[in-house]
Amino acid sequence: MDAESIVGDFRRYFSHTMARDDASQAAYYVYTSLALSLRDRLVERWKMTQAAYEEQDCKRTYYLSLEFLMGRALGNAMLNLEVESSTADALGKLGLLLEEIAEQEHDAGLGNGGLGRLAACFLDSCATLQLPVMGYGLRYEYGMFRQKIENGYQLEEPDHWLRDGNSWEIERPELSVRIKFGGQTEHHLGPDGDRRVYWKYTQDVMAVPYDVPVPGYRNGTVNTLRLWKSAATEEFDLGEFNAGSYTESVAAKNDAEHITMVLYPNDASENGKELRLRQQYFLASASLQDVLRTWELKHGNDFSTFVDKNCFQLNDTHPTCAVPELMRLLMDEHGLDWDEAWRITRRCFAYTNHTLLPEALERWSVGMFGRLLPRLLEIIYEINARFIMVVEQRWPGDMERLRRMSIIEEGHDAKIRMAYLAVVASFSVNGVAALHSRLLQQYLLHDFYELWPHKFNNKTNGVTPRRWLAASNPALSDLLTRTVGDGWLSDLGKLRALAAHADNAKFRSEWCVVKQKQKLRLAELVQRNCGIKFDTSALFDIQVKRIHEYKRQLLNVLHVIHLYDRIKRGDTADWTPRCVLIGGKAAPGYAMAKHIVKLVGVVGECINKDPDCAGLLQLVFFPNYCVSAMEVICAGADLSEQISTAGKEASGTGNMKFMMNGALTIGTLDGANIEIREEVGSENFFLFGLSAEEVEASRGHYDPAAIIAQDEDLRRVMLLLGNGHFNRFEVGIFDPIIAAIYSPHDPWLTAADFRSYVDAQREVADAYRDVERWTRMSILNTAASGKFSSDRTILEYNSDIWHLPQLAAKSVKHE
Ligand code: N85
């Protein structure tokens, strides 16, 4: 673990394994050599950790997720191994800058946004808390697309993140498993009268695992993320070979290898594509077969203690094929009867819901499902038939309720409601923030809540303070440690002690120095990526997240246009200069989101080149927002925009990263914002907008035209938008946006919240000009962020759902 030995290994990897000799010419090889040197140091701990789990024969949880948005691994490994500063020094002596080396690593962008990043934060916390939790996911060849902006419009470029290899993964071909698709089922009566089902004439695909180490924070624990890659089987299409079509049959291998080719880039709408269903089943089947193979080695076909040792956490409904797949494996492969198999299944699954948006709720066409997974469809029908009997018993004769609750949505194209399947089969159902969990119980899953109230619980999200504070903000991290000790890294509640320093002038000035330093770093990033030089004395006002109407980037732009209008009118007394940054990816098929990206671009262009705005206002669209960008952005933010229509953002997690780093929030009463405000106090949070109840109550009598007519500021903003002020040469491109704002059916109520948003922004501006007050509020935000560590979240998952032991990794002493 000493720097000399790390650098020694690094040199050997560079000159021998990579066979390079001029470091300055080969930045990527420098990075790879360092990554391999660190991986070696994780491997020993990794083996010890797995051996300890094995030896203790402890219960384990498997986190099943189609997405793991891991970002970069190098900095994280160094932080967790506690070798960062010594290695940086030693590399410095070779003329190498650690920061520059780390920049070489491609982000592992195997997720869309919040849901995928949450999975990554959870793995970090599980390893840090020494919980035997393993992640199962897919090794997409192409992760989240790279976003380019051309003429203000989003273009998607493929993200071939594996092109230069991936130093962190270890292929385990010996653990490959076979996955079946298509074919048909045959039901036979066995000699002793029992029913046997065979799934035959299938087209098979191999699943090959790649393991990625997940180190805990300075504790010797290294957990595993196992990612599956699809590959053709050996005997692939022998028929074709025999017929002499050698090349055609080799080409047909493609179909198999395509399954894990690309991540679907939708974060809030299901798309019903067959390939997506293939991905979901592929993950579910491979992961379960992996777990059952290990089980069988030790217990044979005795599953009597299986539920005491295994739990599967479903990250949304995406891996829910695991429910019928576990039934199938237990019955068809291991000979259990229905009742035994169901008793096990319903006690091993736990389901997390991440959204209430109807367009994101997965419903698979029964026809397609049956063609691709005929045996699973039979099982789902039987689960449903038995479930319907339970409903009938509880509510005899309530046919309307039966129809509502059925896992199968009847109609000319019948659908499988995956969320209902997940609820029926799980012993735990949770939302991701208090409001969200309450709304799940009151609306989306109300019938199920009445039937099984005990299944329902809340687990407010969190984020890992190692990546989102320690690694992303070393300057603040130092100040925190000097002030309250270093306990906060593994117990973020310790930051509460900061509050006592909020009135200390010297501490406040140190706080400002740190923030200023991080703003400079962010300004450099903006300059590099957008070509605009931010004024670092201005308020850094930031909204980064997927582009979606419910997140209301549009409301943000309307406010910026209003500020621009004020400047042009000369209404600039007591002005607070602002730099507004908006970033995020639009789903490629989401036209309205793409219009919004373009709007940010043109409004920004108009403002940034207007001399009247100089020193007062800037607006920039940040391209290709991703994990590594957020590490710089969250540290440099003053103001965090969390402005979704109340009731629509399940939790939000960016809000937590900003808060930890001392940004203040302007936000609605939505998702975890509510809990953030509770923790920090209403006086340190800028609240605006309708509540979720008011949003619902407004349906049917929302009149945006009247609101606009009565609000002079909004009227002027709509005039500027409508008369083409920002799009002189591209007439009409924003008509859909204008129409959406004027529509009485606008689900996002943009006009309704404009006035209170602008008023809250006024308060923000006033507060920012009072440096002492702002700094105090900033400190109090960081001080109150303890609840939003994913360590807290995971401890709650463990005590309420998983019940795993915390196992100290033995033997590998941490030096
Ligand atoms: N949800 C989220 O990120 N969802 C997805 O990425 C996603 C939905 C979906 C549907 C976020 C079909 C196919 C792929 C899909 C919530 O919006 C946040 O409020 N991917 C929340 O903080 C976060 O999940 C973590 O809970």
Side-chain angles (χ1 to χ4, degrees):
M1 278 300 159
D2 57 291
E4 287 83 79
S5 101
I6 292 175
V7 170
D9 283 4
F10 160 76
R11 296 175 84 132
R12 186 174 46 77
Y13 274 118
F14 187 77
S15 67
H16 289 73
T17 309
M18 306 276 112
R20 309 284 142 175
D21 42 36
D22 181 359
S24 63
Q25 297 295 308
Y28 194 82
Y29 299 105
V30 171
Y31 154 72
T32 302
S33 306
L34 183 57
L36 291 173
S37 312
L38 292 166
R39 192 185 81 181
D40 288 347
R41 283 153 179 81
L42 292 176
V43 163
E44 194 186 351
R45 288 162 174 74
W46 201 358
K47 289 180 177 164
M48 298 297 302
T49 303
Q50 301 314 310
Y53 293 163
E54 190 70 27
E55 193 182 304
Q56 307 268 321
D57 192 24
C58 59
K59 183 178 185 185
R60 298 197 199 197
T61 287
Y62 305 95
Y63 198 82
L64 303 185
S65 178
L66 271 285
E67 306 187 12
F68 285 92
L69 227 183
M70 302 297 282
R72 290 177 176 150
L74 182 78
N76 192 243
M78 299 189 73
L79 176 74
N80 287 326
L81 288 171
E82 203 176 359
V83 298
E84 209 165 11
S85 60
S86 62
T87 309
D89 291 349
L91 288 168
K93 293 193 185 118
L94 300 178
L96 297 168
L97 213 65
L98 181 55
E99 247 182 84
E100 274 171 24
I101 298 174
E103 285 282 309
Q104 293 298 312
E105 182 173 1
H106 300 290
D107 274 38
L110 308 184
N112 271 285
L115 168 151
R117 182 55 229 178
L118 185 75
C121 283
F122 280 6
L123 292 185
D124 182 274
S125 284
C126 289
T128 293
L129 294 165
Q130 308 198 292
L131 292 168
V133 173
M134 179 164 169
Y136 275 117
L138 295 183
R139 181 181 177 275
Y140 301 107
E141 211 76 39
Y142 293 86
M144 189 60 202
F145 65 81
R146 247 198 330 257
Q147 181 191 52
K148 278 269 161 70
I149 302 294
E150 253 184 55
N151 182 34
Y153 286 105
Q154 166 176 304
L155 293 182
E156 299 89 28
E157 282 186 351
D159 162 45
H160 198 187
W161 71 293
L162 293 167
R163 194 182 36 234
D164 304 308
N166 174 7
S167 308
W168 300 103
E169 65 182 15
I170 295 187
E171 185 182 357
R172 301 225 183 272
E174 71 281 10
L175 299 180
S176 298
V177 297
R178 178 178 285 263
I179 314 292
K180 304 201 241 191
F181 289 101
Q184 59 198 61
T185 61
E186 282 178 10
H187 294 242
H188 296 285
L189 232 43
D192 36 4
D194 55 343
R195 202 176 63 149
R196 297 288 301 191
V197 184
Y198 300 89
W199 183 6
K200 288 182 160 175
Y201 318 113
T202 51
Q203 285 173 324
D204 297 357
V205 177
M206 299 308 293
V208 184
Y210 288 70
D211 286 355
V212 181
V214 180
Y217 180 67
R218 302 184 183 176
N219 63 6
T221 292
V222 178
N223 282 343
T224 304
L225 169 60
R226 181 161 286 176
L227 299 176
W228 300 99
K229 172 195 161 97
S230 58
T233 53
E234 286 290 347
E235 79 280 12
F236 201 79
D237 222 345
L238 260 181
E240 296 256 359
F241 277 103
N242 293 339
S245 357
Y246 168 76
T247 45
E248 284 76 3
S249 77
V250 173
K253 277 165 151 312
N254 264 327
D255 279 359
E257 317 213 305
H258 275 159
I259 292 178
T260 54
M261 193 59 71
V262 61
L263 167 76
Y264 275 88
N266 304 324
D267 78 319
S269 67
E270 52 123 27
N271 64 16
K273 291 264 168 44
E274 184 187 302
L275 180 59
R276 169 76 180 174
L277 179 57
R278 278 183 192 270
Q279 290 183 339
Q280 295 188 350
Y281 177 65
F282 181 82
L283 169 67
S285 181
S287 310
L288 287 176
Q289 289 189 59
D290 199 38
V291 172
L292 292 192
R293 176 183 47 206
T294 316
W295 181 266
E296 201 181 5
L297 282 177
K298 205 163 189 164
H299 306 267
N301 280 340
D302 176 7
F303 286 88
S304 55
T305 56
F306 189 78
V307 299
D308 305 325
K309 299 286 179 184
N310 298 283
C311 178
F312 301 97
Q313 188 74 41
L314 302 171
N315 198 20
D316 215 299
T317 54
H318 316 154
T320 299
C321 282
V323 167
E325 177 66 358
L326 182 59
M327 290 294 290
R328 181 187 77 82
L329 292 168
L330 291 175
M331 295 189 298
D332 302 357
E333 308 285 331
H334 296 277
L336 275 61
D337 66 23
W338 180 280
D339 291 329
E340 284 174 285
W342 183 245
R343 189 187 61 82
I344 292 170
T345 299
R346 67 183 181 75
R347 289 168 64 193
C348 314
F349 282 102
Y351 160 54
T352 304
N353 173 286
H354 294 267
T355 185
L356 297 163
L357 297 188
E359 61 269 34
L361 299 177
E362 292 193 299
R363 290 144 64 247
W364 289 109
S365 143
V366 165
M368 183 177 73
F369 200 100
R371 279 190 298 280
L372 199 64
L373 305 166
R375 178 61 183 135
L376 266 68
L377 183 59
E378 291 174 354
I379 292 171
I380 291 172
Y381 269 120
E382 181 143 1
I383 292 174
N384 193 41
R386 290 167 184 253
F387 165 62
I388 291 291
M389 284 172 39
V390 173
V391 179
E392 275 175 327
Q393 265 196 356
R394 171 73 203 272
W395 291 288
D398 191 343
M399 302 313 286
E400 170 56 24
R401 197 186 285 260
L402 277 186
R403 191 194 53 73
R404 275 202 318 260
M405 294 181 78
S406 173
I407 294 169
I408 307 295
E409 178 182 307
E410 299 297 348
H412 78 277
D413 184 18
K415 297 270 170 64
I416 307 169
R417 294 159 165 159
M418 299 305 276
Y420 293 5
L421 177 57
V423 172
V424 168
S426 297
F427 66 90
S428 163
V429 177
N430 75 280
V432 289
L435 172 70
H436 170 60
S437 295
R438 178 164 68 75
L439 295 175
L440 272 181
Q441 296 171 16
Q442 284 179 345
Y443 301 101
L444 187 68
L445 300 176
H446 182 68
D447 290 324
F448 295 87
Y449 178 62
E450 284 195 306
L451 184 58
W452 295 312
H454 55 276
K455 288 193 185 189
F456 286 76
N457 64 95
N458 172 247
K459 294 287 166 283
T460 298
N461 284 167
V463 302
T464 169
R466 271 75 62 188
R467 182 176 295 260
W468 298 113
L469 194 46
S472 64
N473 200 337
L476 181 56
S477 184
D478 276 356
L479 178 57
L480 296 177
T481 297
R482 275 187 279 125
T483 311
V484 303
D486 65 2
W488 61 270
L489 279 134
S490 46
D491 178 5
L492 203 64
K494 295 243 155 76
L495 291 182
R496 275 273 174 222
L498 278 179
H501 303 260
D503 291 315
N504 174 330
K506 179 168 166 287
F507 182 72
R508 277 206 303 252
S509 89
E510 283 186 87
W511 192 269
C512 289
V513 169
V514 167
K515 180 56 84 180
Q516 210 46 41
K517 187 170 170 185
Q518 299 306 327
K519 287 176 74 171
L520 198 62
R521 242 179 105 214
L522 174 52
E524 286 163 5
L525 183 72
V526 169
Q527 166 104 59
R528 273 200 305 282
N529 286 277
C530 320
I532 297 283
K533 205 174 169 67
F534 267 0
D535 167 7
T536 53
S537 69
L539 169 75
F540 277 19
D541 169 349
I542 307 207
Q543 185 176 24
V544 284
K545 50 184 78 238
R546 290 299 292 260
I547 309 291
H548 198 290
E549 287 162 282
Y550 85 78
K551 296 177 187 280
R552 294 201 297 196
Q553 284 90 359
L554 187 51
L555 183 59
N556 191 343
V557 179
L558 296 187
H559 171 248
V560 175
I561 295 175
H562 164 66
L563 292 180
Y564 167 75
D565 182 47
R566 277 183 58 194
I567 293 172
K568 298 309 275 188
R569 290 193 330 247
D571 174 17
T572 56
D574 295 330
W575 191 266
T576 301
R578 246 185 228 253
C579 298
V580 181
L581 188 72
I582 300 179
K585 293 173 185 179
Y590 190 173
M592 191 62 106
K594 291 180 144 181
H595 287 310
I596 293 170
V597 171
K598 171 72 175 175
L599 179 64
V600 175
V602 296
V603 173
E605 210 177 315
C606 170
I607 289 172
N608 299 339
K609 70 174 189 224
D610 187 331
D612 293 343
C613 297
L616 300 180
L617 182 63
Q618 292 175 295
L619 169 65
V620 159
F621 185 85
F622 186 90
N624 199 40
Y625 171 61
C626 58
V627 171
S628 55
M630 184 55 162
E631 290 170 13
V632 180
I633 292 170
C634 69
D638 292 311
L639 183 67
S640 156
E641 298 268 355
Q642 306 301 335
I643 62 179
S644 52
T645 310
K648 306 300 174 189
E649 187 71 273
S651 163
T653 43
N655 47 4
M656 302 168 184
K657 298 164 196 169
F658 284 118
M659 181 197 198
M660 276 180 198
N661 284 276
L664 277 61
T665 305
I666 182 166
T668 49
L669 286 175
D670 200 12
N673 297 351
I674 296 173
E675 291 157 80
I676 287 179
R677 181 164 168 270
E678 267 166 25
E679 293 297 303
V680 74
S682 57
E683 68 283 11
N684 299 307
F685 184 104
F686 298 98
L687 179 71
F688 76 95
L690 300 177
S691 67
E693 281 69 28
E694 290 166 334
V695 166
E696 277 320 302
S698 80
R699 305 263 170 249
H701 31 85
Y702 174 50
D703 186 357
I707 296 174
I708 293 166
Q710 284 155 30
D711 187 319
E712 179 59 9
D713 289 335
L714 181 53
R715 201 183 61 78
R716 293 180 60 90
V717 167
M718 293 308 292
L719 220 57
L720 283 170
L721 257 185
N723 72 17
H725 182 77
F726 303 106
N727 52 310
R728 278 284 159 254
F729 300 102
E730 291 169 292
V731 178
I733 54 172
F734 298 128
D735 291 357
I737 290 184
I738 296 164
I741 298 172
Y742 270 103
S743 166
H745 308 293
D746 172 16
W748 323 116
L749 305 184
T750 304
D753 278 349
F754 178 83
R755 177 44 42 201
S756 72
Y757 181 53
V758 168
D759 291 346
Q761 287 284 22
R762 250 306 174 159
E763 287 174 41
V764 168
D766 293 341
Y768 190 73
R769 273 182 288 110
D770 182 345
V771 179
E772 296 307 309
R773 175 170 171 224
W774 185 273
T775 307
R776 196 170 176 281
M777 291 165 85
S778 169
I779 295 166
L780 293 177
N781 265 270
T782 301
S785 66
K787 175 172 180 185
F788 306 103
S789 165
S790 45
D791 299 346
R792 187 269 314 150
T793 312
I794 287 299
L795 286 172
E796 290 181 10
Y797 272 91
N798 194 44
S799 64
D800 300 347
I801 304 174
W802 303 339
H803 308 298
L804 307 172
Q806 287 180 271
L807 290 184
K810 43 175 215 177
S811 303
V812 182
K813 271 211 289 310
H814 187 71
E815 288 140 288

